[in-house]
Amino acid sequence: MSREQRGPNEKLGTVLALAGISNAGLARRVNDLGAQRGLTLRYDKTSVARWVSKGMVPQGAAPHLIAAAIGAKLGRPVPLHEIGLADADPAPEVGLAFPRDVSEAVRSATDLYRLDLAGRRAGGGIWQSLAGSFAVSAYATPASRWLISPADSSVARSGDLTDLPPLKVGHSDVAKLREAAEDARRWDSKYGGGDWRSSMVPECLRVDAAPLLLGSYSDEVGRALFGATAELTRLAGWMAFDTGQQEAAQRYYIQALRLARAAADVPLGGYVLASMSLQATYRGFADEGVDLAQAAVERNRGLATARTMSFFRLVEARAHAKAGDGHPAEAALKAAEAWLERSRDGDCDPSWLGFYSYDRFAADAAECYRDLKAPRQVRRFTEQALSRPTEEFVRSHGLRLVVSAVAELESGNLDAACAAGTRAVEVAGRISSARTTEYVRDLLHRLEPYGDEPRVAELRERARPLLVTPA
């Protein structure tokens, strides 16, 4: 049955008027969207009138379908809060829980997906109130629970008890989510986490993945569904991280790790932990970054492919280097390179690891040696990292150019540093990545002692539009 609010839902009425959708038109659109998802819905203009005039709140997938129908007409995402169909204002703790129970895990993830996404993109809404709330300690419980038990015993589900028939989930539904994840990975690498195509990942989680998680599925299908959703959720976290939304990224990562546990996918869980490690290291918590990376390594011994283990050790090296621990960093780098040399094209590497090659290893090794203040090693590895075409990984190319510029500067080669910096600014201007902008900003800071040099002044002028435009 539907729940009743106190009084009319004025928000829904206002947005319907703005979109120019009649009651009958909305009912038809919702029924059609439901049919596309295997639901038999029979809403009519009277149903919509009750939602608007009496504040009735349809349960199950219906609120998401209503938001999707209106969003399609407006040409933009419509969050549940905008149309008055959210259960309640999201609490600051949303997305931080790592429930032991699978059903609670589903609720925790879907609650996060329902946040005011439009407000997040505009710098307002719930994300504005959470700004600066990143706390590395929030990773302690998820990491320890995952280490103790990286898989649930069963994830079969019969659906929620709502006024709608349960959505029966099949492998074709999972395949669509995996396809969406693959597309998003390509767009993110090429255009940055702030590109509008990449930013559709949270919308995909809210509109497509959430109803599936709340549906009905066997244990086999459920494992696959949780795995695909975990990939998308980690991607949403990575894109938030890339655009500077650290508080959002943290919550997506925690839910991704919980979903990976439900999928019984230990390597994927390790990948999420590696993402957490990179964020913690980037935020200045290198010791915690080491712990998270080592957790990924230890749990995956004998399970993950050689290439996967190589990446986990590389992330560990990044954290050691940021902490200034040279010997552990070089040991982890050597281990990462050794694992990579053992990998073969015929290995069953996960699709989400498609970005990782020797080029990526060399790029991260260069950043390790930058943090360890070894410019000769930085130059050696950066030359290798920049030696191949970059059409597919534009953001990575920009980051590598900045690292190269820093190495040249520390070696006393101002001309080469400015030349690499100029190329980095050109690349950064083509993508939407706050992280890349911060790398450029750091380079300009390092160049301040040479501010009177015409080459430096020209580089600063070229970078000015990038630095004043919100990422």
Side-chain angles (χ1 to χ4, degrees):
M1 293 177 59
S2 297
R3 294 181 288 105
E4 185 170 349
Q5 293 181 335
R6 295 180 180 178
N9 186 343
E10 295 179 356
K11 289 184 177 181
L12 179 58
T14 299
V15 177
L16 283 178
L18 177 66
I21 304 177
S22 66
N23 289 357
L26 178 63
R28 183 175 62 255
R29 291 166 186 262
V30 171
N31 291 341
D32 289 345
L33 287 175
Q36 294 173 18
R37 291 160 172 78
L39 299 173
T40 302
L41 306 179
R42 296 185 176 86
Y43 293 121
D44 56 23
K45 62 181 181 180
T46 302
S47 305
V48 179
R50 290 172 179 163
W51 301 340
V52 175
S53 62
K54 295 185 178 181
M56 303 293 285
V57 180
Q59 296 187 2
H64 300 283
L65 300 179
I66 294 169
I70 298 173
K73 183 67 184 296
L74 291 176
R76 63 171 176 82
V78 174
L80 295 184
H81 297 289
E82 184 178 349
I83 55 177
L85 293 179
D87 291 336
D89 290 335
E93 295 79 14
V94 68
L96 294 176
F98 192 92
R100 291 187 173 89
D101 180 72
V102 175
S103 295
E104 287 301 315
V106 168
R107 188 163 302 281
S108 181
T110 53
D111 281 349
L112 177 63
Y113 304 157
R114 291 167 180 163
L115 283 180
D116 187 342
L117 300 175
R120 175 174 70 87
R121 292 177 189 139
I126 184 65
W127 296 115
Q128 186 178 52
S129 68
L130 293 174
S133 65
F134 172 87
V136 73
S137 59
Y139 284 149
T141 296
S144 63
R145 288 187 181 175
W146 182 83
L147 280 168
I148 293 169
S149 179
D152 291 290
S153 59
S154 175
V155 297
R157 184 181 175 92
S158 59
D160 284 352
L161 297 177
T162 68
D163 57 344
L164 296 174
L167 173 61
K168 188 170 180 58
V169 183
H171 285 293
S172 61
D173 299 302
V174 177
K176 291 177 182 178
L177 293 182
R178 292 199 184 280
E179 183 178 351
E182 187 61 33
D183 288 343
R185 276 193 289 269
R186 287 195 297 268
W187 284 116
D188 172 64
S189 295
K190 195 169 185 178
Y191 298 108
D195 181 74
W196 69 268
R197 304 167 189 84
S198 299
S199 65
M200 292 305 291
V201 172
E203 183 70 4
C204 178
L205 288 169
R206 183 172 71 88
V207 174
D208 298 318
L212 295 175
L213 289 175
L214 294 167
S216 173
Y217 37 83
S218 66
D219 184 68
E220 178 191 4
V221 172
R223 300 285 188 194
L225 172 62
F226 281 114
T229 309
E231 288 186 42
L232 274 168
T233 306
R234 194 215 67 88
L235 268 169
W238 179 255
M239 292 168 183
F241 166 66
D242 189 49
T243 54
Q245 296 282 349
Q246 304 299 332
E247 60 286 339
Q250 181 169 46
R251 287 159 171 76
Y252 280 121
Y253 284 158
I254 290 172
Q255 297 313 303
L257 185 64
R258 183 60 186 88
L259 293 168
R261 171 174 157 172
D265 192 332
V266 179
L268 178 56
Y271 186 37
V272 178
L273 284 171
S275 301
M276 291 176 169
S277 173
L278 287 170
Q279 184 191 28
T281 301
Y282 180 81
R283 294 286 290 175
F285 300 96
D287 286 342
E288 289 81 356
V290 170
D291 292 339
L292 291 163
Q294 289 181 343
V297 170
E298 293 305 319
R299 230 350 172 147
N300 274 279
R301 291 189 187 279
L303 294 175
T305 64
R307 189 178 301 272
T308 305
M309 292 296 291
S310 172
F311 180 69
F312 294 164
R313 293 307 305 269
L314 181 62
V315 172
E316 180 189 348
R318 290 288 302 270
H320 282 304
K322 199 70 173 178
D325 297 330
H327 291 305
E330 291 194 313
L333 277 176
K334 288 180 181 178
E337 189 168 23
W339 277 112
L340 193 56
E341 290 174 349
R342 289 168 56 184
S343 67
R344 297 292 181 267
D345 290 339
D347 293 347
C348 297
D349 292 318
S351 60
W352 41 258
L353 199 64
F355 68 92
Y356 186 54
S357 63
Y358 192 82
D359 296 345
R360 173 59 188 266
F361 167 80
D364 280 42
E367 293 209 40
C368 287
Y369 284 114
R370 176 204 60 189
D371 293 336
L372 295 173
K373 303 186 185 308
R376 182 184 299 179
Q377 291 285 62
V378 176
R379 293 181 68 185
R380 177 168 74 88
F381 281 106
T382 300
E383 287 174 1
Q384 297 175 27
L386 292 172
S387 64
R388 295 185 56 184
T390 58
E391 291 81 3
E392 187 177 357
F393 302 106
V394 177
R395 179 182 54 211
S396 293
H397 184 58
L399 296 174
R400 295 169 190 180
L401 285 169
V402 176
V403 174
S404 175
V406 171
E408 295 293 354
L409 180 62
E410 293 185 349
S411 297
N413 302 319
L414 185 60
D415 284 343
C418 289
T422 298
R423 291 158 58 201
V425 167
E426 189 276 328
V427 172
R430 291 157 45 197
I431 61 178
S432 180
S433 168
R435 193 157 47 99
T436 305
T437 300
E438 284 304 310
Y439 271 54
V440 172
R441 197 185 305 276
D442 175 68
L443 172 62
L444 295 177
H445 176 71
R446 293 171 185 262
L447 286 168
E448 284 180 358
Y450 311 92
D452 294 335
E453 292 284 341
R455 295 156 295 180
V456 176
E458 181 182 356
L459 174 58
R460 183 181 295 110
E461 188 61 28
R462 286 177 178 270
R464 188 183 304 278
L466 175 69
L467 301 180
V468 300
T469 302

